[in-house]
Amino acid sequence: MSGWGRQSTTLTPPPRLSIHAEDDGDLGQRPQPQIDRGPLNRYPQRTLATSVEGLGSLVDLGFGPPIGDPNPSTDVVSTHRGHWQPRWKGRGPRSIRGMMNNRKSDDGFEMASMSNRVLELTVISGEDLRIKGKPIRNNAYAIIKTNNVPNATTKVDQEGGSYPYWDEKLLVDLPLRTFFITVEVRRRTSSGVGQLIGAASIPVSDFIGGYTPENYLHFLSYRLRDAVGERNGIVNVSVRVKSPAPYGCSTASATQPEMGIQSVDPGDGRAGGTVVTGMPWQMKIDIDQLKPGSKSMSGA
Amino acid sequence: MGACFSDVKGGMQAVGGTRYPPYGGGGSSSIIGGPNDAVDMFYRARCQQALCTPLELSMSASKLRDRDILSKSDPMAVVYLKKRDGRLEELGRTEVVLNSLDPAWIQKVSVSYQFEMVQNLVIHVYDVDTKYHNLPVKALNLKDQEFLGEATCVLSEIVTQRNCSLTINLQNKHGQVGPRNLGTLTVHAEEPVASKTVVNITFRCTNLDNKDLFSKSDPFLRISRIVETGNLVPICKTEVVNNNLNPIWRPISLSMRQFGSKENPLEIECFDFDSDGSHQFMGTLKKSIADLEKLHRDRTGANFVLPASLNRGREKVLKGQLFVEQFSEKPQFSFLDYISSGFELNFMVAVDFTASNGNPRSPDSLHYIDPSRRLNSYQQAIMDVGEVLQFYDSDRRFPAWGFGGRTYDGSVSHCFNLSPSGHEVEGVEGIMAAYSGAIHNVSLAGPTLFGQVINKAAEIAGQSLLDNNNKYYVLLIITDGVLTDLQETKDALVRASDLPLSVLIVGVGGADFKQMEILDADNGNRLESSTGRMATRDIVQFVPMREVYGGQISVVQALLEELPGQFLSYMRARDIKPLPHASGTTV
């Protein structure tokens, strides 16, 4: 969800420019990169949505209050809906790929229902990690989460400071219908509960599907966001899918839309549970409805 | 260091050594840390980076003409480098082989291989007269010898052959007539193993002196080469270990080029890091690489000393000791190892067809095709880059695209084939012909978008991985203007950084190219996509043509000098090795 929130900022209307100017002032040391990264720096204006996610994380840990205000979610959803169409158009070549995927959806469906996948995920290093603006001095470690459930954890780097180096290979189970893996970088404290430095969501589509073979060794880097959504350093990982798919790359590509379709039904069931969870599923429905239009347009 | 809280992240990182990108390579030792541009530029300025690769050429010939009446020829080979103006610069000579029409010369000729240039070699073979046999070959006047034949080739033609051997027919000198069948010359190029050796060392210290009042020291090591004048030239420094008097640093990699030889003495200094830059000296010692290897083998330490200049005229042995925890020495695969084993660089080109270039029929248009055949900027860039890269592609079939033009069906396309057939074109001449054809068939339109051609190139690069992993793609984008899709371009480049692809951007005309310099991440800021994904490595190189056109350094040199490094960073990270050599194969 936060990933989409970042994308939507590119559509912020002109009045936001004044806020952008303020951001520029805050980071005056790097004016030029600041200007060109305007869309990303406008993201703090979505703090409310991010706070919702952050608070969700805190709720899981037993700290935060329950979520009661549906308005931010509604706002976020409307922004998402508005943004999706241009992005799809911008990726014209992918619509052809989508059509190809549809032809193989049966194979994809069968393969997807066979088994989970196992990833070899190496958490390599972190860069420029801070807490309250100060570089951390020691004891950074990383937690890998799938569907927000801790899946694997690295050792603690006691010496690395704000540039920790783990280079630790973890085996991560990837359940069906998982769209993101979350990497949380934390600092071990004396109280035993890790202090969150930053988290990054890795879309599964970054290493499954796309152009590369199924068992390709991907080297990926992501911007970390701290508990309030501020940019906070970088995490470097490498990912390889351990179980090769029997039908090769095209089948893996076909898996994505199939999983998308599958997820709608459970989403409907879950929508009654929480307001926040329900909105993305409805978002999915809208996206699915938009896709045929995009394809026909590209076909014309 | 105590209670200082300033931003010191750059100064605390390891620098020098054999640089790696900011992630660890699979299976290889590496130095991890953020970029430190000042120190990196320092090393570059001192030519610590390997800008060119020394090669040794060994030659043999067969079926030479017999020029002696009573005995066979006594051949000698002379190697020249043909300059841009056609002049021949002699690189070296072989010895004279007596009485042989099939000589195998022993003497090797040294030549510096520069990837970014087309290096034309000319080799003359002479029959040395008997009365000159007692003279050293350097003293021979070539005009007094009998000319047997001439061979010409490009150095990259040799290194791209399997086993780095190329056989060429000998010809008469240009303009002379005479008999054919002058025989053949075989040139073999070899990279000295010593120049590729890399030493991986892990240092540990014990009982260092404490220099901080209220906490322990934050030590780091600096390793310097001692030059003839007695001065120290730094070659490497470790990262800073905080609050530790018994530190173990991460492995460092040193190449033979950096320390000269294993017996050269190196100065190893230990400092306490201070954020204000006045690092406190903690001790020094002089050891060669061979000495360090012995320390490792014997599991012994060496004491740091306080030199006489700091201790009232007497050297003081300190309690602190240096140990070598790990020491390994191995040849590191070089760019030429990959190329000679069958790896290829596949060239792709994308040309800007937006209206800002001007009407192609107007002489002041950037796309104007001069009837006198003088090349415009686009043609010049294609020719300069293509004539270098074509030697590294076995089939020499290149995808050629345009963007920002209105194509045959009337729609504006941001990735259309220059060739009407929609297929790849043959050779650099094919690109030029397709470009000239497209100029007459495509209307200039707009806006300027890079995202689609980059995605197209990334798709080709990704799909090549299904077959094998011996192809690396180089996309040349030639543009005159300012991007409309800067963020989409960043997104495409971030995704492509995980693929075997590099992107070269040439800016033509007089527009403001600030956006291009953002894409070329030489300023140290890694590209970031709209979803928060970062580029894993730097794959973009941008050069504005006006700054180098007509100068001594060509566009192609500025563009291509980083390409072998980008290729190697991709291969080494994934632990991809050169293909096994096919023994006994000679072209």
Side-chain angles (χ1 to χ4, degrees):
Chain A
M1 180 169 177
S2 62
W4 293 349
R6 292 192 188 103
Q7 294 165 16
S8 69
T9 57
T10 59
L11 296 180
T12 311
R16 298 281 183 176
L17 286 176
S18 61
I19 303 171
H20 166 71
E22 290 178 11
D23 291 340
D24 189 7
D26 291 341
L27 300 174
Q29 296 176 6
R30 299 188 299 167
Q32 285 187 8
Q34 181 62 41
I35 293 169
D36 291 283
R37 296 175 185 233
L40 293 175
N41 290 291
R42 293 186 188 121
Y43 181 71
Q45 305 314 310
R46 299 288 169 189
T47 301
L48 197 48
T50 308
S51 296
V52 169
E53 192 182 40
L55 288 172
S57 177
L58 291 175
V59 168
D60 292 340
L61 297 175
F63 292 117
I67 302 164
D69 186 0
N71 285 333
S73 307
T74 306
D75 186 40
V76 170
V77 167
S78 65
T79 308
H80 292 167
R81 187 178 296 120
H83 177 262
W84 185 257
Q85 198 164 4
R87 181 161 185 256
W88 183 262
K89 283 181 176 176
R91 303 188 175 205
R94 287 188 183 269
S95 64
I96 300 172
R97 175 178 295 274
M99 295 170 64
M100 294 172 62
N101 291 344
N102 282 351
R103 292 195 197 108
K104 305 184 177 181
S105 58
D106 290 341
D107 289 344
F109 178 82
E110 292 177 5
M111 194 277 294
S113 61
M114 282 179 192
S115 62
N116 293 354
R117 277 170 292 222
V118 179
L119 307 178
E120 289 176 359
L121 194 152
T122 302
V123 190
I124 300 172
S125 61
E127 295 178 34
D128 196 19
L129 308 180
R130 296 160 183 264
I131 291 180
K132 294 189 176 66
K134 299 188 181 67
I136 67 167
R137 296 183 60 88
N138 55 13
N139 290 342
Y141 66 99
I143 302 177
I144 310 298
K145 293 184 172 180
T146 51
N147 295 330
N148 215 28
V149 175
N151 200 305
T153 305
T154 67
K155 300 187 188 70
V156 173
D157 183 353
Q158 302 185 23
E159 303 286 353
S162 60
Y163 284 78
Y165 179 71
W166 302 283
D167 197 20
E168 193 172 336
K169 182 185 283 188
L170 308 170
L171 293 183
V172 178
D173 277 319
L174 191 69
L176 285 180
R177 296 190 294 273
T178 303
F179 296 102
F180 290 94
I181 293 176
T182 302
V183 180
E184 284 184 8
V185 180
R186 293 176 171 269
R187 178 170 178 269
R188 187 187 63 185
T189 58
S190 53
S191 65
V193 178
Q195 182 179 14
L196 179 70
I197 296 168
S201 289
I202 301 178
V204 169
S205 58
D206 276 359
F207 54 85
I208 292 181
Y211 305 134
T212 49
E214 174 88 348
N215 64 344
Y216 181 67
L217 176 61
H218 295 265
F219 282 84
L220 308 167
S221 304
Y222 293 90
R223 172 70 64 186
L224 295 165
R225 301 263 170 189
D226 63 13
V228 297
E230 297 285 346
R231 297 144 52 98
N232 191 12
I234 295 168
V235 66
N236 303 302
V237 302
S238 70
V239 184
R240 189 205 296 268
V241 179
K242 195 175 184 185
S243 313
Y247 303 111
C249 176
S250 56
T251 305
S253 302
T255 302
Q256 293 298 314
E258 193 63 34
M259 289 199 294
I261 297 170
Q262 287 284 94
S263 66
V264 170
D265 292 332
D268 287 341
R270 292 176 198 169
T274 64
V275 173
V276 172
T277 307
M279 289 304 168
W281 303 129
Q282 297 179 19
M283 179 63 158
K284 273 294 179 188
I285 298 170
D286 294 329
I287 294 168
D288 291 342
Q289 291 168 6
L290 283 174
K291 285 182 183 177
S294 300
K295 291 169 190 172
S296 61
M297 289 176 67
S298 62
Chain B
M1 182 169 171
C4 297
F5 287 105
S6 55
D7 184 358
V8 293
K9 67 183 196 306
M12 299 180 79
Q13 302 313 307
V15 296
T18 308
R19 293 296 306 270
Y20 281 90
Y23 53 80
S28 65
S29 303
S30 59
I31 293 175
I32 308 299
N36 191 319
D37 290 318
V39 181
D40 203 25
M41 294 311 293
F42 171 80
Y43 283 117
R44 283 172 175 266
R46 298 297 193 91
C47 294
Q48 290 292 317
Q49 300 254 333
L51 293 179
C52 53
T53 304
L55 290 180
E56 288 176 346
L57 305 179
S58 54
M59 284 157 285
S60 61
S62 65
K63 299 199 174 88
L64 296 176
R65 281 191 299 153
D66 188 356
R67 301 296 301 169
D68 285 354
I69 304 297
L70 301 177
S71 64
K72 296 177 178 174
S73 293
D74 310 308
M76 174 189 78
V78 184
V79 183
Y80 301 90
L81 185 68
K82 183 186 276 191
K83 296 297 201 177
R84 209 185 301 252
D85 54 14
R87 238 176 353 95
L88 298 185
E89 172 198 351
E90 184 176 326
L91 298 177
R93 300 180 178 187
T94 66
E95 79 280 14
V96 179
V97 176
L98 302 182
N99 285 320
S100 175
L101 297 185
D102 302 293
W105 288 284
I106 296 171
Q107 178 70 42
K108 291 175 167 50
V109 175
S110 294
V111 62
S112 288
Y113 167 74
Q114 288 184 256
F115 165 78
E116 66 271 15
M117 295 172 66
V118 177
Q119 295 171 284
N120 290 284
L121 297 180
V122 178
I123 303 168
H124 291 170
V125 183
Y126 291 93
D127 173 23
V128 177
D129 201 16
T130 307
K131 66 180 180 246
Y132 297 106
H133 283 179
N134 292 322
L135 290 179
V137 293
K138 284 297 178 186
L140 291 175
N141 188 341
L142 299 178
K143 292 186 172 63
D144 299 333
Q145 315 307 326
E146 190 77 38
F147 178 80
L148 292 179
E150 170 186 280
T152 60
C153 65
V154 176
L155 187 52
S156 38
E157 268 183 306
I158 304 175
V159 301
T160 50
Q161 302 293 322
R162 290 277 186 165
N163 303 321
C164 283
S165 284
L166 181 71
T167 300
I168 319 156
N169 287 326
L170 289 167
Q171 311 284 337
N172 265 316
K173 275 186 180 175
H174 186 63
Q176 290 185 7
V177 298
R180 298 177 180 268
N181 296 323
L182 302 184
T184 59
L185 181 81
T186 299
V187 188
H188 175 76
E190 191 171 343
E191 192 176 3
V193 173
S195 71
K196 297 190 291 184
T197 302
V198 170
V199 175
N200 295 304
I201 307 175
T202 302
F203 285 117
R204 174 171 67 90
C205 283
T206 57
N207 297 318
L208 293 174
D209 288 357
N210 191 18
K211 298 295 185 183
D212 283 350
L213 275 181
F214 303 108
S215 64
K216 294 174 182 171
S217 292
D218 311 310
F220 68 93
L221 295 178
R222 183 173 74 190
I223 302 172
S224 306
R225 194 176 70 233
I226 305 173
V227 296
E228 293 81 9
T229 58
N231 293 329
L232 303 181
V233 174
I235 61 175
C236 185
K237 114 169 163 56
T238 65
E239 80 278 10
V240 176
V241 179
N242 287 319
N243 279 325
N244 201 328
L245 298 182
N246 302 283
I248 300 181
W249 289 277
R250 281 178 217 142
I252 58 171
S253 293
L254 297 173
S255 65
M256 185 72 71
R257 269 189 219 93
Q258 289 175 289
F259 51 80
S261 84
K262 293 184 71 177
E263 280 69 38
N264 270 5
L266 303 173
E267 187 93 17
I268 304 172
E269 301 163 293
C270 190
F271 292 92
D272 173 32
F273 181 85
D274 253 325
S275 55
D276 61 2
S278 61
H279 311 304
Q280 292 199 64
F281 183 77
M282 298 175 74
T284 185
L285 48 82
K286 278 186 176 64
K287 294 290 174 189
S288 68
I289 295 291
D291 294 333
L292 297 176
E293 185 176 18
K294 188 170 187 302
L295 287 186
H296 170 69
R297 200 168 47 238
D298 299 343
R299 298 288 171 187
T300 56
N303 286 81
F304 282 103
V305 299
L306 205 59
S309 56
L310 298 180
N311 192 48
R312 300 184 230 93
R314 283 187 308 112
E315 188 177 84
K316 179 187 178 186
V317 177
L318 300 172
K319 188 177 55 175
Q321 283 192 312
L322 177 81
F323 294 85
V324 181
E325 281 289 295
Q326 291 175 30
F327 186 98
S328 67
E329 177 185 349
K330 57 191 172 185
Q332 190 178 62
F333 294 120
S334 69
F335 177 71
L336 289 180
D337 287 328
Y338 288 95
I339 293 299
S340 63
S341 74
F343 279 72
E344 300 182 5
L345 300 181
N346 298 116
F347 182 43
M348 304 182 278
V349 63
V351 178
D352 187 333
F353 278 78
T354 57
S356 51
N357 288 277
N359 185 344
R361 288 172 182 79
S362 168
D364 57 3
S365 166
L366 294 170
H367 282 302
Y368 181 65
I369 297 186
D370 199 310
S372 68
R373 297 206 162 277
R374 193 170 63 90
L375 303 179
N376 65 34
S377 296
Y378 286 92
Q379 292 168 315
Q380 190 70 58
I382 294 170
M383 185 63 72
D384 284 349
V385 177
E387 73 176 357
V388 171
L389 291 184
Q390 61 177 339
F391 292 108
Y392 299 89
D393 190 331
S394 58
D395 66 3
R396 296 189 187 184
R397 300 184 60 82
F398 308 125
W401 301 296
F403 56 92
R406 197 177 306 275
T407 52
Y408 319 100
D409 60 4
S411 64
V412 177
S413 175
H414 298 291
C415 186
F416 59 91
N417 268 286
L418 290 187
S419 168
S421 67
H423 296 318
E424 294 175 334
V425 298
E426 193 99 34
V428 178
E429 319 79 49
I431 304 177
M432 302 291 269
Y435 165 76
S436 301
I439 282 291
H440 294 112
N441 293 307
V442 173
S443 308
L444 305 192
T448 307
L449 308 181
F450 282 5
Q452 289 182 48
V453 290
I454 295 172
N455 282 331
K456 182 67 178 177
E459 183 176 343
I460 292 175
Q463 284 171 355
S464 79
L465 296 164
L466 290 166
D467 303 322
N468 45 41
N469 56 11
N470 76 322
K471 288 182 188 294
Y472 190 89
Y473 290 83
V474 183
L475 170 66
L476 171 67
I477 299 178
I478 315 168
T479 181
D480 78 316
V482 178
L483 272 179
T484 307
D485 68 340
L486 179 62
Q487 188 57 59
E488 281 82 2
T489 298
K490 286 182 180 178
D491 293 3
L493 290 169
V494 166
R495 284 194 300 272
S497 67
D498 193 31
L499 296 167
L501 172 65
S502 286
V503 178
L504 315 172
I505 305 176
V506 174
V508 298
D512 178 15
F513 291 118
K514 274 201 187 69
Q515 285 171 312
M516 303 301 155
E517 280 153 18
I518 291 166
L519 298 180
D520 184 349
D522 281 351
N523 59 13
N525 290 319
R526 293 168 69 181
L527 289 180
E528 181 165 354
S529 82
S530 50
T531 60
R533 181 174 161 185
M534 314 291 296
T536 313
R537 62 193 178 99
D538 175 21
I539 62 170
V540 182
Q541 181 79 339
F542 166 73
V543 171
M545 199 164 199
R546 60 169 177 257
E547 290 179 8
V548 294
Y549 192 75
Q552 281 301 310
I553 300 183
S554 67
V555 173
V556 60
Q557 281 185 263
L559 271 179
L560 294 178
E561 64 178 354
E562 286 188 16
L563 193 53
Q566 290 172 354
F567 174 96
L568 286 173
S569 76
Y570 176 85
M571 296 296 166
R572 287 173 181 163
R574 286 157 185 76
D575 208 21
I576 298 171
K577 294 185 163 53
L579 303 173
H581 267 279
S583 59
T585 303
T586 302
V587 178

